[in-house]
């Protein structure tokens, strides 16, 4: 099929290129408007107890619509007190402007409640709490209201969920542009070095650009059907650009080699390229997509949206490499080698022509050195990777919040100022939703509620419990029962209780003198959930701490199924590729070992706080739990790309010779430079995102760069040849039934012979893809392989 596609693309090359250009323009115009459609989708599990508690309370007590958010306006002045007339007048101007806006659903402040909780300890600060309707779009509403908040001489800072979401999106967009300005020039320079030519080096960047605009267009389409996290824009840029460059590297390398046989037979070269390297790219893309499918089983919307977005990016990169790139190569033909830098170093390259011999290549010699010392090298590398992974033993997980933003972001500074300067704002609040049998304010239900509240008040670190039987100081249970039975007895209490009870639902607010992000408050949540509950009450414990507890529990419950999907897909793919049952097991073990080292490094850097000044972040003693999952899924897929590429070449050599050691050496010699080049380019792309000012983006940038580099060096160059030497012929073992399956449906390649080619001179990283017009010292026969290398016969 791919051979047929190559012929079709050759015949329709002009049409395909023109269509691709027009499509890229349309996708760019449509896709780059996606930032206005992104949302701050949640990390919560809709079926978790804390979210059910939140939904029950919002449905019962909140007058807000579903498109509601919060805005906190912090007012301060170093010289004026919040009660001074000039301060009051300026604050009242802001309040009056906000009250005149239809987007503002409700306002609370010191000036309307006279509650001391709205005043800072030194009385130089106060804040306004507003419920905001965002049905017209968060960014538009935020910008509109933010323009109304100037009130000299006061300093005004804006926080709350609406400010956090908008500033998060704005920072991600800025970081995306900045990261690309770092990565693209470096990648362009590296491509010139790898290909030794400007024309060939420009093609991966063109396909990378096509992949980015295509990914953004698909991302915008996804926003029409589901909420998509703003974080997805950065992730799809990493995947789309990185994979497009890698896939282009595979295909261009193979195409240049096929042209060695006959520069005039461009169609034949393209057909053979699609049959070999094209198939590698196809299975590579499907491998990545299969790994990312595991993200879709998580109930958290952010993981599902990022999973869908990255699958879209991988598909666009794969399709662009299998359609647009071959069409461009058809147009260029031998001119793909134009503007070559080789002539500058012509004499030096001819002197190095001995590197053509695979038995004298650096990767060949390295593989035999590793196999000669297989046991000590295996032990040394495994111990090194385990040592790198050891910090993961004290990992502490958290969920994303305003602390992920830069230190200068107003939404972060507002929260920090509230916690530092306002009494009670650094405490944790646990919200408990209770559904009763019958009216929540009936005498029997009040007795049961009072008993439950008494037990809550006896818990350690609980400083206050507010409920329908405890919010008014000095009022006894009997008095509450009488007031609720006869509301006219005390109209003030009868009115105030509406915030705690309505119908058969009542809520209890527990305040604890604990850090809202601490493990101690999570332990308190578990303790509260463990309390016995009267039979006529159904209790749901919620709040920020409870949501963190439920998030970790939900992720832990879903991870085994996600890993099972990835492992099963890898077993099937590698078995069909190699016919071995041992190869998939080895690949999974090595991948897990490599990722363990990556996760340990992440904990050491981002949790323990090393390199804070270099990366410009502030560690807070934990790492985002969702980033570990994203890195695992993406890095697992990328690692399998390199595994499939290397194993297919080793398997082909083993089928030809039956010599395990020689097959490993030849396979590594023929693919080592290409895997290293691809990994280096991808690492540059993802490492550029370590410059982001958003902590989650930094974590995924550093994590993926480390994972790719360790996999391409320590794992593929050292552990794979060492372990394959130790396993010997056992590498290729499979039980008889599976051997029968492999013979029937295995991914066998058809070897296609082509005429002898002229000399192939070595490029950097052991590549042999440039052509000398005046030399013919050796004859090569092109054979069907997936690594883009010519095999000497």
């Amino acid at each position: 099929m791919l051979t047929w596609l190559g012929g079709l693309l050759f015949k329709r090359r002009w049409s395909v290129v023109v269509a691709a250009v027009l499509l890229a323009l349309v996708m760019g115009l449509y896709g780059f408007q996606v930032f206005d459609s992104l949302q701050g989708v949640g990390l919560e599990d809709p079926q978790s107890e804390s979210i059910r508690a939140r939904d029950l309370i919002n449905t019962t007590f909140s007058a807000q619509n579903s498109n509601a958010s919060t805005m906190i306006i912090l007012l301060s002045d170093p010289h004026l007190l919040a009660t001074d007339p000039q301060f009051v007048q300026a604050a009242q101007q802001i309040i009056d402007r906000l009250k005149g806006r239809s987007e503002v659903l409700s306002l609370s402040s010191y000036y309307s409640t006279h509650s001391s909780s709205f005043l800072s300890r030194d009385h130089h600060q106060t804040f306004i709490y507003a419920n905001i309707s965002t049905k017209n779009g968060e960014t538009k509403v935020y910008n509109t209201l933010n323009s109304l908040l100037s009130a000299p001489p006061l300093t005004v800072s804006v926080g709350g969920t609406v400010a956090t979401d908008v500033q998060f999106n704005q920072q991600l967009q800025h970081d995306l542009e900045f990261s690309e300005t770092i990565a693209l020039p470096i990648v362009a320079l590296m491509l010139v070095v790898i290909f030794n030519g400007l024309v060939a080096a420009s093609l991966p960047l063109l396909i990378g650009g096509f992949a980015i605009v295509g990914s953004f267009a698909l991302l915008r389409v996804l926003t029409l059907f589901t909420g998509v996290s703003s974080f997805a824009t950065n992730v799809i840029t990493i995947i789309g650009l990185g994979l497009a460059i890698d896939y282009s590297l595979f295909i261009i390398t193979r195409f240049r080699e096929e042209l060695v046989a006959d520069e005039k037979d461009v169609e034949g070269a393209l057909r053979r390229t699609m049959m070999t390297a094209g198939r590698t790219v196809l299975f590579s893309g499907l491998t990545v997509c299969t790994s990312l499918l595991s993200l879709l089983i998580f109930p958290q919307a952010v993981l599902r949206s990022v999973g869908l977005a990255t699958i879209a990016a991988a598909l666009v990169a794969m399709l662009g490499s299998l359609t647009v790139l071959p069409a461009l190569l058809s147009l260029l033909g031998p001119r793909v080698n134009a503007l070559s830098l080789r002539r500058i170093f012509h004499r030096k390259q001819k002197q190095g022509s001995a590197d053509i011999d695979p038995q004298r290549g650096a990767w060949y010699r390295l593989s035999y050195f590793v196999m000669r010392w297989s046991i000590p090298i295996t032990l040394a590398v495994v111990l090194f990777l385990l040592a790198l992974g050891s910090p993961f033993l004290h990992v502490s997980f958290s969920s994303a919040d305003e602390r992920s933003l830069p230190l200068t972001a107003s939404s972060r500074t507002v929260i920090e100022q509230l916690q530092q300067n306002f009494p009670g704002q650094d405490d944790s609040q646990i919200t408990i939703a209770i559904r009763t049998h019958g009216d929540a304010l009936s005498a029997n239900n009040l007795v049961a509620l009072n008993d439950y509240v008494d037990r809550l008040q006896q818990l350690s670190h609980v400083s206050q419990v507010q409920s329908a039987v405890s919010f008014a100081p000095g009022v006894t249970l009997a008095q509450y029962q009488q007031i609720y039975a006869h509301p006219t007895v005390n109209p003030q209490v009868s009115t105030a209780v509406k915030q705690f009870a309505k119908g058969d639902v009542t809520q209890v607010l527990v305040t604890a003198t604990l850090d809202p992000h601490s493990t101690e408050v999570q332990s308190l949540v578990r303790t509260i959930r463990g309390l016995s509950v009267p039979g006529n009450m159904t209790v749901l414990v919620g709040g920020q701490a409870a949501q963190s507890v439920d998030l970790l529990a939900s992720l832990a419950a879903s991870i085994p199924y996600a890993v099972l999907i990835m492992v099963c897909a890898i077993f099937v793919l590698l078995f069909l590729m190699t016919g071995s049952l041992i190869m998939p097991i080895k690949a999974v073990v090595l991948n897990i070992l490599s990722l363990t080292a990556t996760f340990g490094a992440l904990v050491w850097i981002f949790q323990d706080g090393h390199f804070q000044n270099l990366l410009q972040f502030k560690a807070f003693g934990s790492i985002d739990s969702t980033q570990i999952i994203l890195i695992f899924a993406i890095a697992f897929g990328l690692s399998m790309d390199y595994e499939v590429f290397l194993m297919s070449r080793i398997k082909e050599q083993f089928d030809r010779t039956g010599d395990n050691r020689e097959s490993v050496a030849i396979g590594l010699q023929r693919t080592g430079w290409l895997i290293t080049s691809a990994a280096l380019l991808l690492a540059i792309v993802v490492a550029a995102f370590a410059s982001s000012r958003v902590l989650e983006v930094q974590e995924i940038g550093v994590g993926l760069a480390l994972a790719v580099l360790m996999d391409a060096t320590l794992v593929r160059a050292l552990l794979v040849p060492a372990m394959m030497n130790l396993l010997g012929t056992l590498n290729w073992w499979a039980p008889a039934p599976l051997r029968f399956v492999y013979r029937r449906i295995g991914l066998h390649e058809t070897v296609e012979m082509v005429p002898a080619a002229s000399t192939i001179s070595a490029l950097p990283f052991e590549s042999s893809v440039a052509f000398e017009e005046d030399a013919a010292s050796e004859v090569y026969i092109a054979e069907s392989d997936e690594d883009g290398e010519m095999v000497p016969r």
Side-chain angles (χ1 to χ4, degrees):
M1 178 179 177
L2 289 175
T3 305
W4 170 84
L5 178 61
L8 179 64
L9 291 172
F10 178 81
K11 292 181 176 65
R12 301 284 187 267
R13 52 192 180 277
W14 278 110
S15 300
V16 173
V17 171
V18 172
V21 171
L22 295 177
L23 182 62
L25 290 175
V26 172
M27 291 190 302
L29 292 174
Y30 179 77
F32 284 115
Q33 300 178 41
V34 71
F35 291 95
D36 295 332
S37 304
L38 299 177
Q39 306 174 14
V41 295
L43 292 168
E44 65 270 8
D45 178 356
Q47 301 302 317
S48 65
E49 180 177 340
S50 57
I51 300 306
R52 287 186 288 131
R54 183 199 65 184
D55 293 343
L56 179 59
I57 290 173
N58 287 343
T59 302
T60 304
F61 299 101
S62 179
Q64 307 170 26
N65 57 39
S66 59
N67 295 310
S69 190
T70 61
M71 179 176 281
I72 301 174
I73 300 103
L74 180 65
L75 310 175
S76 60
D77 189 281
H79 307 294
L80 298 175
L81 299 177
T83 53
D84 289 345
Q86 188 177 1
F87 196 117
V88 174
Q89 183 180 5
Q92 196 61 49
Q93 291 176 359
I94 293 178
I95 293 173
D96 292 340
R97 293 187 202 126
L98 293 176
K99 284 183 176 179
R101 299 297 306 183
S102 60
E103 301 93 339
V104 179
L105 302 175
S106 63
L107 284 174
S108 300
S109 67
Y110 171 77
Y111 309 106
S112 61
T113 65
H114 299 290
S115 171
S116 60
S117 61
F118 283 92
L119 292 177
S120 63
R121 293 182 179 89
D122 62 4
H123 286 206
H124 285 284
Q125 292 177 305
T126 187
F127 67 92
I128 303 168
Y129 185 88
N131 289 313
I132 307 297
S133 172
T134 57
K135 64 181 180 180
N136 293 328
E138 276 189 328
T139 302
K140 182 179 180 180
V141 170
Y142 171 78
N143 291 335
T144 299
L145 298 182
N146 196 37
S147 64
L148 305 175
L149 302 181
S150 175
L154 303 184
T155 300
V156 182
S157 301
V158 184
T161 55
V162 64
T164 300
D165 290 344
V166 172
Q167 291 175 9
F168 190 78
N169 288 344
Q170 292 174 343
Q171 189 64 50
L172 285 177
Q173 188 170 4
H174 173 270
D175 291 345
L176 180 61
E177 296 170 356
F178 182 72
S179 299
E180 288 176 347
T181 61
I182 294 176
L184 290 179
I186 299 175
V187 168
L189 180 61
M190 288 298 302
L191 286 170
V192 172
V193 173
I194 291 170
F195 284 120
N196 275 314
L198 298 180
V199 173
S202 66
L203 294 178
L205 294 178
L206 291 176
I207 301 303
F210 182 85
I212 290 176
V213 297
S215 300
F216 274 80
L218 286 179
L219 187 64
R220 190 178 179 195
V221 172
L222 286 175
T223 63
L224 301 176
F225 303 97
T226 184
V228 176
S229 170
S230 52
F231 180 62
T233 57
N234 293 67
V235 177
I236 66 173
T237 301
I238 293 174
I239 297 300
L241 180 60
L243 288 181
I245 291 175
D246 278 3
Y247 295 161
S248 299
L249 180 63
F250 299 156
I251 290 178
I252 294 171
T253 299
R254 180 68 190 196
F255 179 74
R256 296 175 77 184
E257 292 183 357
E258 292 296 341
L259 283 177
V260 173
D262 184 359
E263 289 188 356
K264 296 180 180 180
D265 185 18
V266 176
E267 181 179 1
L270 188 64
R271 285 176 176 271
R272 292 187 295 274
T273 297
M274 294 296 289
M275 181 187 65
T276 53
R279 180 152 51 178
T280 295
V281 169
L282 177 62
F283 284 113
S284 172
L286 295 178
T287 301
V288 174
C289 292
T290 302
S291 294
L292 294 172
L293 280 174
S294 61
L295 295 175
L296 303 185
I297 71 169
F298 288 91
Q300 287 73 24
V302 64
L303 290 177
R304 292 202 309 272
S305 68
V306 171
L308 288 171
T310 47
I311 289 172
L315 287 175
V316 173
M318 179 185 72
L319 293 175
S321 301
L322 292 177
T323 55
V324 181
L325 180 58
L328 289 171
L329 292 174
S330 297
L331 289 176
L332 290 171
R335 291 187 296 275
V336 71
N337 301 305
L339 301 180
S340 173
L341 304 182
R342 177 170 298 279
R343 296 183 183 277
I344 301 175
F345 308 101
H346 177 77
R347 182 174 303 173
K348 180 178 178 180
Q349 292 292 343
K350 290 193 70 173
Q351 292 173 352
S353 62
D355 288 340
I356 296 172
D357 186 351
Q359 297 186 4
R360 283 179 281 177
W363 292 100
Y364 183 91
R365 296 192 299 270
L366 174 64
S367 63
Y368 262 102
F369 173 81
V370 170
M371 288 187 287
R372 186 177 302 115
W373 304 97
S374 295
I375 294 178
I377 287 178
T378 299
L379 291 176
V381 174
V382 169
L383 289 176
F384 177 71
L385 292 175
L386 291 177
L388 287 179
S390 60
F392 195 69
L393 295 174
H394 66 268
V395 66
S396 176
F397 293 113
S398 62
S399 56
D401 52 37
E402 71 284 341
R403 295 175 298 174
S404 302
L405 287 168
L407 297 174
T408 56
S410 68
S411 54
R412 177 171 183 168
T413 58
V414 165
I415 296 297
E416 291 176 344
Q417 288 290 305
L418 290 178
Q419 293 177 346
Q420 294 171 9
N421 301 332
F422 288 75
Q425 293 295 329
D426 58 343
D427 291 340
S428 298
Q429 189 170 80
I430 300 171
T431 305
I432 303 174
I434 300 175
R435 189 180 290 276
T436 60
H437 294 171
D439 188 356
L441 298 181
S442 67
N444 290 336
N445 284 333
L446 290 176
V447 172
L449 178 63
N450 186 70
D451 178 64
Y452 183 65
V453 169
D454 286 343
R455 275 177 281 157
L456 291 173
Q457 291 173 333
Q458 295 172 12
L459 297 177
S460 300
H461 304 294
V462 172
S463 59
Q464 184 182 35
V465 180
Q466 292 182 291
S467 69
V469 294
S470 60
F471 71 92
V475 180
T476 65
L477 173 62
Q479 292 172 326
Y480 278 120
Q481 291 173 321
Q482 183 180 9
I483 293 171
Y484 299 150
H486 307 285
T488 56
V489 173
N490 191 328
Q492 184 177 4
V493 173
S494 299
T495 301
V497 77
K498 293 179 180 180
Q499 63 181 311
F500 292 103
K502 183 178 180 181
D504 62 348
V505 177
T506 183
Q507 68 170 324
V508 178
L509 304 179
V510 179
T511 302
T513 56
L514 295 169
D515 185 336
H517 305 292
S518 66
T519 56
E520 289 80 5
V521 73
Q522 294 181 13
S523 298
L524 179 60
V525 168
R526 297 185 183 95
T527 300
I528 292 175
R529 287 177 171 174
L531 293 176
S532 60
V533 179
N536 60 340
M537 294 167 51
T538 301
V539 175
L540 299 172
V541 180
Q544 179 181 348
Q547 290 182 23
S548 297
V549 171
D550 290 341
L551 171 63
L552 295 179
S554 175
L555 294 178
S558 301
I559 283 174
Y561 299 101
V563 173
L564 182 63
I565 290 175
M566 286 188 284
V567 170
C568 289
I570 287 167
F571 260 79
V572 171
L573 179 63
L574 283 186
F575 171 74
L576 294 178
M577 183 71 68
T578 65
S580 168
L581 194 63
I582 303 301
M583 289 294 188
I585 297 175
K586 175 183 66 65
V588 170
V589 171
L590 293 183
N591 277 5
I592 292 176
L593 186 62
S594 175
L595 287 174
T596 299
T598 299
F599 294 154
L602 283 176
V603 171
W604 188 76
I605 295 172
F606 292 102
Q607 178 176 308
D608 299 343
H610 297 89
F611 303 131
Q612 288 187 89
N613 294 333
L614 177 63
L615 297 177
Q616 296 184 335
F617 72 93
K618 181 180 179 181
F620 47 84
S622 61
I623 59 175
D624 187 358
S625 53
T626 57
Q627 297 312 300
I628 293 293
I629 294 172
L630 286 175
I631 292 171
F632 186 88
I634 296 172
F636 214 89
L638 295 177
S639 297
M640 291 315 303
D641 279 353
Y642 303 142
E643 177 75 10
V644 168
F645 197 63
L646 176 59
M647 286 300 106
S648 63
R649 185 61 181 91
I650 294 176
K651 171 63 174 174
E652 178 185 338
Q653 190 69 22
F654 182 78
D655 288 342
R656 182 182 299 119
T657 66
D659 187 333
N660 182 72
R661 288 167 60 87
E662 186 70 7
S663 298
V664 172
I666 293 293
L668 191 60
Q669 170 64 24
R670 291 306 185 189
T671 61
W673 76 272
L674 193 52
I675 292 175
T676 304
S677 301
L680 183 59
L681 290 171
L682 183 58
I684 291 172
V685 172
V686 298
F689 287 84
S691 64
S692 172
R693 302 298 303 280
V694 176
L695 193 57
E696 285 86 359
V697 180
Q698 284 186 311
E699 289 176 354
I700 200 168
V702 172
L704 286 179
L706 289 175
V708 167
L709 290 176
M710 280 193 287
D711 185 83
T713 54
L714 296 178
V715 174
R716 303 301 155 207
L718 298 179
L719 280 182
V720 167
M723 292 189 67
M724 292 193 71
N725 179 62
L726 292 174
L727 291 170
T729 55
L730 188 61
N731 283 300
W732 315 104
W733 178 84
L738 289 182
R739 289 199 301 271
F740 174 78
V741 172
Y742 174 72
R743 285 193 296 270
R744 296 296 299 270
I745 63 173
L747 302 177
H748 307 285
E749 287 190 352
T750 301
V751 177
E752 180 176 341
M753 306 299 293
V754 298
S758 59
T759 299
I760 305 174
S761 300
L763 275 180
F765 301 108
E766 303 290 336
S767 65
S768 299
V769 294
F771 315 108
E772 298 292 343
E773 298 176 355
D774 57 348
S777 59
E778 294 194 35
V779 175
Y780 279 67
I781 300 298
E783 294 194 68
S784 174
D785 61 22
E786 292 185 8
D787 55 11
E789 288 290 333
M790 300 296 292
V791 180
R793 296 294 301 270

